[in-house]
Every structure is written in C-alpha cells, then in structure tokens.
Amino acid sequence: MTGIEGLPMAVREPGLPQRVRIHEVGARDGLQNEKSVVPVEVKAEFVRRLADAGLTTIEATSFVHPKWVPQLADAEQLFPLVRGLGVRLPVLVPNERGLDRALALGAREVAVFASATESFAKANLNRTVDEALAMFEPVVIRAVEQGLKVRGYLSMCFGDPWEGAVPIEQVVRVSRRLVDMGCDELSLGDTIGVATPGHVSALLTALNEAGVPTGTIAVHFHDTYGQALSNTLAALRHGVSVVDASAGGLGGCPYAKSATGNLATEDLVWMLHGLGIETGVDLGRLTATSAWMADRLGRPSPSRTVRALSHKE
Ligand code: MG
C-alpha cells in the first residue's frame, strides 16, 4: 500500500538505527560497467543532482589506471567540477600513484578495494589476496597520515563465482587486516548477490567477535537474487548504519551473469523511510535524477521504486 504523494507510511521497528548514512556509488560503481563512455559534464550533473537530492556521501570516481576502467579515465576532469558541492566525495585509489593523483586534486576520502577470495583477487587485481593487501598497506598508511578518511572495500564476502561459498573465517581475516592497516570503514561486498540474511548476521557477529566493531562496518549488497533489501534489514537489526547503494540501480558485476547488480538507492530509501529511519534524502528528487540518468543511458532503470514512482506521474 502506498502512502500519500509517493511516500511509504512510516512505522518504526524498535532497535533499528535512528539514521542511516547512504554511501551512494552510482557515479563510480554504477557507471564503471557502462560500455559507452558518459561525457564528463553528464557525470558532473549526475553528482550535482544526487547532492541536491540530499545524498551526503557520493563516491565520485576512481583513480585506477585509465587503461583498466576507460569509463573513469576522466577522474582529473570530473573531480574539480564536483568538489565544491559540500558533500563527502570518496574516490577509489588502487595504489600509491592513484593516491598521488587523488591528493593532487584535494580528495579528502579514499577507498581501496580488497578481495576476500584468491580467485577474485587474481581476476580483478592479478595478485594474491596477500599481495593485494601488501599493495594497499602503504596507500592506507599514507592516506591516514594525510588526515584522509579511508574506506576498505572487501569483495566476495559471501560467495564467489569460481570458489562457491566463502568461509566466514576467510572474510574475517582479510577484514581484520584492512582495519589493522588503518581503514576506518569496511564495506562488506556481496559482489555476486548470493547472500541471505542469516549469512549476513553470522558474518557480522563473527566480525564483532574478532574485534571489528559494528560502527566501522558498511554493507554493499547486490540484488541479483532479490535479496539486497532483506540482507540490508538483517544488517540494520545488527546495528549497521552505513549502507551502500546506487541511484536507479546502476551497475552490476561483470563476473555475475545476471544484469541486475547494485541495490537501487530508491528501493533502499523507500524501505528506510518506511521504517521511520532518517536518510536526509528527498525520494522524489532522487527518482527524477535516476530517470534523467536512464534517459542519458538510453534504457530504463531496473529499480522497482523508480518504476513505481515514475508510473504514478
Ligand atoms: Mg557494487
């Protein structure tokens, strides 16, 4: 049942966080898999509109080598266009060269991207898990010395397309390494979208037992099997209050066969507002932004909420 004017009815569930910070990944994780290169002006406009819609953390781009991700080769052009928006603008840095580029442009938040599995570390970084951690360590240490906030992404935390189920102890080990080297936030990625809520709770409990507090944990779910919101709710019940999502559900994982990928920010906001949890996001503006971006990309948003609200108009 829809509430008035395209808003869900808010009914609080006791014990959930009062407020959730959405880490918006559409401009980076969403666009990086787009084959046709989106003009830098369009990306800047996208980020501006996301900020206008009330998102306070917008992952802008990536300072990986342009050869690996041509879509984000314009990081040097894009960042100056958006850095005055007054929102947090984390950027991905794979190595010290990437960190140098990000620092030169005045980035204040960076993220490194590790893998919980050997197969994905090999496929994504052409390194073993430990070799990749060794590559990130000096990056994280220097970033912390410079006073930057550092997020550690961890891919394949629940399942891996080559290895199957990923043992919780393996995820805990790499998580601890990222926290120990200085990451102040850990984003647990369900890169192929195979997690289910009990698995989420078990991993979060194991991380707490290993000394990783819930306050440093963010979750990054993919909706491949329609579980992203169920998994998010399990994380909220555990006390997690930072959730990654992508406007309009942009993006996916190149290693997952299904076209569906990132949890759509609109679907997340609908649930959070329905639970009476504050996000600061204006759902109408956000939906309009995703509809606008879908027009630029030439195909409709996969987000159920974007579709439902667009059909109402
Ligand atoms: Mg993702």
Side-chain angles (χ1 to χ4, degrees):
M1 179 162 46
T2 306
I4 51 167
E5 293 173 5
L7 298 171
M9 291 182 302
V11 182
R12 268 202 72 78
E13 178 178 306
L16 297 188
Q18 212 58 26
R19 188 178 178 88
V20 160
R21 180 166 59 83
I22 297 173
H23 185 109
E24 168 61 45
V25 299
R28 196 279 303 167
D29 189 10
L31 291 182
Q32 75 178 8
N33 295 314
E34 286 295 325
K35 289 196 176 54
S36 60
V37 173
V38 177
V40 69
E41 299 78 18
V42 172
K43 290 175 184 169
E45 179 68 17
F46 184 41
V47 174
R48 258 182 241 119
R49 287 178 185 233
L50 292 169
D52 277 350
L55 288 154
T56 57
T57 306
I58 304 172
E59 199 165 285
T61 186
S62 171
F63 289 90
V64 293
H65 194 286
K67 186 172 75 177
W68 302 119
V69 188
Q71 179 67 259
L72 304 180
D74 58 7
E76 258 85 10
Q77 288 76 50
L78 176 63
F79 198 80
L81 296 175
V82 297
R83 71 185 158 201
L85 290 173
V87 296
R88 294 171 64 171
L89 291 168
V91 293
L92 239 58
V93 294
N95 51 30
E96 296 210 71
R97 172 79 189 109
L99 177 62
D100 289 338
R101 292 169 61 203
L103 284 170
L105 291 170
R108 299 305 303 155
E109 296 194 35
V110 294
V112 296
F113 41 100
S115 169
T117 66
E118 293 296 342
S119 302
F120 190 66
K122 183 80 185 153
N124 201 35
L125 298 162
N126 198 26
R127 282 172 168 78
T128 67
V129 167
D130 286 333
E131 284 167 357
L133 291 170
M135 173 173 74
F136 297 136
E137 188 153 30
V139 178
V140 174
I141 289 171
R142 256 183 69 209
V144 170
E145 280 169 4
Q146 300 275 337
L148 271 59
K149 282 191 184 300
V150 185
R151 159 177 263 232
Y153 275 104
L154 192 52
S155 292
M156 304 295 176
C157 288
F158 298 91
D160 174 289
W162 301 278
E163 299 179 21
V166 178
I168 282 175
E169 315 79 69
Q170 200 170 312
V171 182
V172 169
R173 181 184 81 84
V174 185
S175 297
R176 268 253 52 118
R177 287 284 308 278
L178 288 168
V179 171
D180 289 346
M181 70 174 71
C183 291
D184 42 23
E185 187 170 276
L186 194 61
S187 173
L188 305 174
D190 180 18
T191 315
I192 55 170
V194 294
T196 43
H199 194 166
V200 172
S201 303
L203 175 58
L204 292 171
T205 299
L207 282 166
N208 293 159
E209 284 167 2
V212 180
T214 303
T216 65
I217 298 172
V219 287
H220 185 115
F221 292 121
H222 281 193
D223 209 27
T224 321
Y225 295 90
Q227 305 297 301
L229 282 178
S230 310
N231 293 335
T232 301
L233 184 56
L236 296 174
R237 286 176 175 154
H238 195 89
V240 170
S241 64
V242 182
V243 181
D244 296 6
S246 175
L250 279 175
C253 175
Y255 302 96
K257 291 193 185 76
S258 166
T260 51
N262 287 309
L263 167 61
T265 312
E266 288 85 354
D267 297 9
L268 173 64
V269 168
W270 183 274
M271 182 178 82
L272 293 174
H273 289 182
L275 287 163
I277 296 172
E278 295 163 29
T279 65
V281 172
D282 180 320
L283 186 55
R285 280 189 183 190
L286 178 59
T287 303
T289 297
S290 292
W292 170 85
M293 196 64 204
D295 277 349
R296 306 275 93 62
L297 296 173
R299 66 189 136 72
S301 161
S303 160
R304 303 288 283 268
T305 301
V306 169
R307 289 184 188 193
L309 293 180
S310 301
H311 286 148
K312 278 172 65 76
E313 285 160 12

